[in-house]
Amino acid sequence: MEHKHQFILDAFNYRFATKRFDANQKITNEDFQIILEAGRLSPSSLGFEPWQFLVIQNKDVRDALKPISWGAQGQLDTASHFILILARKNVRPGNEYVHQLLKDTKQMPEDVIEQMMTRTTAFQGDNLNLYESERALWDWASKQTYIPLANMMTTAAMLGIDSCPIEGFQYQEVAQLLSDKGYFDRSVFEPSVMVAFGYREEDPKREKTRRSQDDVVKWIE
C-alpha cells in the first residue's frame, strides 16, 4: 500500500504545465488510448457526460489556431497530441441528447427517465438556478469538462507523459474557426478548455510549490 501511495504522489509531483514539448517524441497509440479512456470514463453531474473531445493532429488546423490561442503557442507547435474539450449546450430535461443518453446508453425505462427528469428540473432550476440564462446552463456543463481534463492529465503523469491545460485562447474565434471547418456544430457545443500532451523539452526550473495542507484543509469533527 505504501508503494501505491508513493506512486500516486510521485505522479502529481512529476506533472507540471509543460509549455514546450520535445517535438520528436510521440506518444504511442496504446498510451494515448488509455488517456482518452480516463476522460471518457470520468464522472459527471447526473451522469450526463456533457462533453466531446476534439483531438487536433492536423498541422494546418494547429497553425490556424495559433493566432487566436495565445496560451498555446509552444504547445501547438510541439505537442504529440492536442485536445480541445467541448461542452454541450442546453443539457436539460426535454433535450434530445439527454433523453437518448438515458434511454440508449444508460438503458433506463421510460417511467424511470420521466421520474429522473422531474428531479433534474428541480435540481437544475431550484438548487443551481441554471435556467436563468443559456450561459448559466452552459457554464454548468463546462465545469463538468474539467473532471475528464484532470483525469486525463493525471493518467498521463502516471504514464510518464507530460501535459498542459490551456484556457488562454479567444473562445469565439476558436469556435468560429473550427465550426466553419465542420468539426462541430455551435448550436450543440462550445469550446471549454484545451489540453496538450507530449514529452517535456526540458525539466522545470524549480520544484513544485503549493500551499500547505494545513492552509488548504479544514476538518469539521
Side-chain angles (χ1 to χ4, degrees):
M1 184 61 71
E2 183 178 346
H3 171 72
K4 290 182 179 179
H5 292 172
Q6 193 59 51
F7 174 72
I8 293 169
L9 292 177
D10 285 347
F12 277 94
N13 279 300
Y14 173 82
R15 194 214 66 78
F16 82 107
T18 305
K19 305 305 182 186
R20 290 190 63 85
F21 300 90
D22 180 348
N24 295 316
Q25 276 195 280
K26 301 301 180 184
I27 301 169
T28 66
N29 182 64
E30 182 182 16
D31 281 349
F32 193 67
Q33 287 300 318
I34 296 298
I35 293 170
L36 290 176
E37 280 295 275
R40 185 183 72 86
L41 294 171
S42 295
S44 57
S45 184
L46 301 171
F48 282 174
E49 306 172 39
W51 49 62
Q52 188 169 79
F53 309 147
L54 290 186
V55 184
I56 303 173
Q57 300 300 86
N58 183 284
K59 184 181 185 303
D60 291 339
V61 176
R62 288 197 191 187
D63 288 345
L65 285 169
K66 279 192 69 177
I68 51 178
S69 304
W70 55 268
Q73 297 296 293
Q75 296 92 334
L76 282 166
D77 279 342
T78 62
S80 171
H81 291 71
F82 193 93
I83 297 177
L84 173 63
I85 304 180
L86 305 174
R88 188 176 287 272
K89 300 169 74 172
N90 194 34
V91 180
R92 60 186 293 174
N95 179 279
E96 182 181 355
Y97 164 78
V98 171
H99 186 269
Q100 290 301 117
L101 176 76
L102 299 180
K103 180 175 180 287
D104 297 336
T105 304
K106 312 293 186 185
Q107 297 187 337
M108 292 183 179
E110 288 293 342
D111 61 326
V112 175
I113 292 175
E114 186 174 341
Q115 293 171 17
M116 184 175 178
M117 291 302 90
T118 299
R119 294 194 296 269
T120 297
T121 300
F123 169 66
Q124 289 184 324
D126 299 339
N127 295 133
L128 300 180
N129 297 319
L130 298 182
Y131 302 149
E132 292 180 337
S133 68
E134 290 185 6
R135 178 57 190 256
L137 195 58
W138 182 83
D139 281 341
W140 173 76
S142 181
K143 286 197 300 184
Q144 309 307 313
T145 70
Y146 281 66
I147 303 173
L149 169 70
N151 285 341
M152 286 191 285
M153 290 193 299
T154 300
T155 299
M158 290 179 174
L159 294 170
I161 294 168
D162 294 294
S163 63
C164 186
I166 301 159
E167 290 184 321
F169 61 96
Q170 293 162 232
Y171 284 70
Q172 293 299 319
E173 287 83 350
V174 166
Q176 196 64 52
L177 171 71
L178 296 177
S179 63
D180 284 349
K181 291 180 177 294
Y183 296 124
F184 69 91
D185 182 349
R186 290 193 72 182
S187 70
V188 180
F189 290 106
E190 289 287 352
S192 179
V193 64
M194 296 172 169
V195 58
F197 296 96
Y199 295 94
R200 63 189 65 181
E201 188 174 65
E202 58 182 29
D203 289 329
K205 292 181 171 55
R206 62 176 185 172
E207 293 184 2
K208 188 184 294 291
T209 56
R210 292 291 188 273
R211 293 159 56 201
S212 71
Q213 189 175 123
D214 287 341
D215 194 22
V216 172
V217 179
K218 178 180 288 188
W219 289 76
I220 301 176
E221 297 180 311

